[in-house]
Amino acid sequence: MSIQLGVIADDFTGATDIASFMSDNGWKVVQIIGEPSIDAVCPTDVDAVVISLKSRSIPAEIAVKQSLACLRWLKETAQARQIYFKYCSTFDSTAAGNIGQVSDALMAACGAQQVVHCPALPQNFRTVIHAHLFVNGRLLNQSGMENHPINPMRDANLCQVLAPQVKGHVGSLNLAVIQQGAAAITQRLAVLARQGINHVIADTLTVHDLDHLAQALVQRPLLAGGSGLAGSLAKYLPSQTTAAAHALTFPTQKKAVVLSGSCSVMTNRQVAHYRQFAAHFALDVERCIAADPAYIRQIADWVEQHLADSFAPLVSATQPPAEISVIQQQYGEQRASLAVEETFAQLTRQLLERGVNIFIVAGGETSGTVVNQLGVNILEIGKSIAPGVPWVRDAQLGLMMALKSGNFGNEDFFCLAQEYSA
């Protein structure tokens, strides 16, 4: 049986994000970790398959190669009716891509003459007006994303951001047209196509705008953007599975840890809030760079001592922008980042050996690191803790995870996650 939608996501938290919006709107969704092998079997009786890559900030040619391999598997093995290239609702990647390059490659492979980009996620206050992206009512480059340690975003005009990355021409689909409904959208896209515009940034202010876009774009071979539009597609197209998605079961003996590698504005607030209730271990970047196994054992011992606490212990590399700047100047941006992620990787392996079975993780890079170290291959999607952040489970290992994009969730997210309702 063919699936409704095949999704290629450029990071792990983005993959669980889009999976949750489709699941919340009635579809049965599974998430595959990494590029499927050519002989991998597609899960049965599902509406959508989300493949999570770690391709946002890698060299463009590698991102394109991985994305095209996923496309072939989704079309040939999963028989996906429509393909969706999922990237972050803050449109971040490297200055040179990879959103544009991957979009161009997927367009060519799908035979698509035009792709509509809809990064907006009104449920999490990401909106696009006159092709300018706003986060919580502030322009992207004034929202805190201008201080992103890996992909700083210093221009809110998405046409200007995307144009240098693509071979064709970039234009926009105005909000006034979108609010007129599917017929007006279809007509305007045809006009833009005749003008040679093959990358279209869609304005979006509300969920109703997403619904109009979904109805207009449901027959297109390729879409691109954040998770919001996929949620509206699931709302518009009924589930074709024979069994509804079931509630996920948590381990009887819960051993949970919170790992925070994100340095976003919201994660800083979440860490500060959570430290009022839970034990907290702040990573020392210098000791991470030294790569001393004794330091990893020290952290793991500390976590184990606090596993019976009322709230799960927190291990954090989260820092405010000013402190990040000092660390980067002292050690180098790449060196510090890689050392911290390697520390999280080694710590995850030790915690798994010590019986930790619930991982609550903040940050796309850190989530990818944790999932890789756990040896997870496929995830079931459960109930959302916050918009775009569901509980997910590896049924084979019995592990539960919450993989949170940096700016998602409210201040009390880490506490809320531990109500354990999936």
Side-chain angles (χ1 to χ4, degrees):
M1 182 179 73
S2 63
I3 61 173
Q4 305 262 40
L5 191 67
V7 180
I8 303 166
D10 69 356
D11 82 342
F12 287 81
T13 55
T16 55
D17 170 17
I18 195 169
S20 73
F21 276 95
M22 292 185 289
S23 178
D24 289 347
N25 281 288
W27 278 8
K28 190 174 178 182
V29 186
V30 295
Q31 180 178 340
I32 294 175
I33 308 303
E35 179 185 325
S37 63
I38 194 168
D39 57 349
V41 177
C42 180
T44 58
D45 207 26
V46 297
D47 295 293
V49 173
V50 180
I51 301 175
S52 53
L53 299 176
K54 200 173 180 180
S55 59
R56 180 171 300 170
S57 304
I58 64 176
E61 62 273 16
I62 300 176
V64 166
K65 182 179 179 181
Q66 292 179 357
S67 300
L68 288 176
C70 292
L71 172 67
R72 285 192 293 272
W73 185 88
L74 287 168
K75 296 295 286 185
E76 295 172 8
T77 301
Q79 299 180 46
R81 185 187 58 79
Q82 190 173 40
I83 300 297
Y84 200 110
F85 172 36
K86 164 65 173 70
Y87 47 75
C88 188
S89 59
T90 48
F91 214 76
D92 59 299
S93 59
T94 65
N98 297 329
I99 291 174
Q101 291 93 328
V102 172
S103 296
D104 272 344
L106 293 176
M107 284 175 64
C110 287
Q113 301 302 309
Q114 186 183 66
V115 62
V116 175
H117 295 264
C118 183
L121 183 57
Q123 297 92 326
N124 277 341
F125 310 104
R126 275 83 165 146
T127 54
V128 179
I129 306 296
H130 300 301
H132 284 67
L133 179 56
F134 290 79
V135 178
N136 294 315
R138 301 176 65 88
L139 284 166
L140 176 66
N141 58 311
Q142 299 172 9
S143 67
M145 282 300 298
E146 70 274 20
N147 298 315
H148 192 289
I150 300 176
N151 300 320
M153 298 302 293
R154 300 193 172 102
D155 190 349
N157 186 329
L158 300 188
C159 289
Q160 292 182 175
V161 173
L162 188 59
Q165 302 179 17
V166 300
K167 298 175 182 177
H169 299 284
V170 181
S172 63
L173 184 62
N174 190 273
L175 182 64
V177 173
I178 292 170
Q179 291 179 336
Q180 293 173 41
I185 294 169
T186 301
Q187 184 178 11
R188 181 57 184 164
L189 288 175
V191 171
L192 291 172
R194 289 195 293 272
Q195 295 173 353
I197 305 297
N198 56 353
H199 289 269
V200 181
I201 305 293
D203 283 358
T204 313
L205 185 61
T206 69
V207 174
H208 293 301
D209 302 327
L210 292 173
D211 293 344
H212 288 160
L213 283 165
Q215 293 174 37
L217 302 174
V218 70
Q219 297 299 329
R220 295 225 164 189
L222 175 68
L223 299 173
S227 56
L229 180 59
S232 288
L233 286 170
K235 185 190 308 182
Y236 181 68
L237 294 171
S239 173
Q240 61 181 10
T241 61
T242 58
H246 59 280
L248 303 186
T249 303
F250 280 87
T252 304
Q253 298 295 324
K254 302 180 184 68
K255 293 186 177 181
V257 67
V258 180
L259 304 176
S260 180
S262 168
C263 294
S264 71
V265 173
M266 181 51 75
T267 302
N268 267 282
R269 291 167 58 185
Q270 289 162 342
V271 166
H273 178 81
Y274 191 63
R275 288 177 64 174
Q276 301 175 55
F277 307 95
H280 171 244
F281 191 106
L283 291 183
D284 182 327
V285 174
E286 186 172 355
R287 295 199 68 182
C288 292
I289 290 174
D292 182 3
Y295 184 51
I296 307 299
R297 287 195 298 272
Q298 176 190 341
I299 304 170
D301 289 343
W302 177 88
V303 170
E304 192 167 22
Q305 291 167 11
H306 290 280
L307 288 176
D309 291 0
S310 298
F311 289 95
L314 165 67
V315 179
S316 170
T318 301
Q319 301 279 2
E323 294 186 29
I324 293 173
S325 179
V326 171
I327 290 170
Q328 291 177 344
Q329 290 175 15
Q330 184 173 359
Y331 300 108
E333 176 184 321
Q334 192 75 359
R335 186 184 182 200
S337 177
L338 290 174
V340 166
E341 292 307 321
E342 180 57 28
T343 299
F344 276 123
Q346 294 185 37
L347 177 62
T348 297
R349 290 197 294 271
Q350 288 212 17
L351 294 178
L352 183 63
E353 291 172 0
R354 297 176 190 225
V356 173
N357 50 25
I358 299 174
F359 292 82
I360 301 168
V361 189
E365 292 295 319
T366 308
S367 293
T369 295
V370 169
V371 168
N372 281 332
Q373 295 306 313
L374 293 176
V376 172
N377 295 311
I378 188 166
L379 292 171
E380 299 172 311
I381 310 300
K383 182 179 178 181
S384 292
I385 306 164
V389 193
W391 277 112
V392 296
R393 182 179 70 172
D394 182 318
Q396 185 176 8
L397 299 175
L399 300 173
M400 294 292 298
M401 286 158 278
L403 309 174
K404 186 191 84 72
S405 263
N407 277 313
F408 282 15
N410 294 324
E411 284 187 1
D412 63 348
F413 175 83
F414 295 136
C415 294
L416 182 64
Q418 292 172 62
E419 292 182 4
Y420 299 124
S421 173

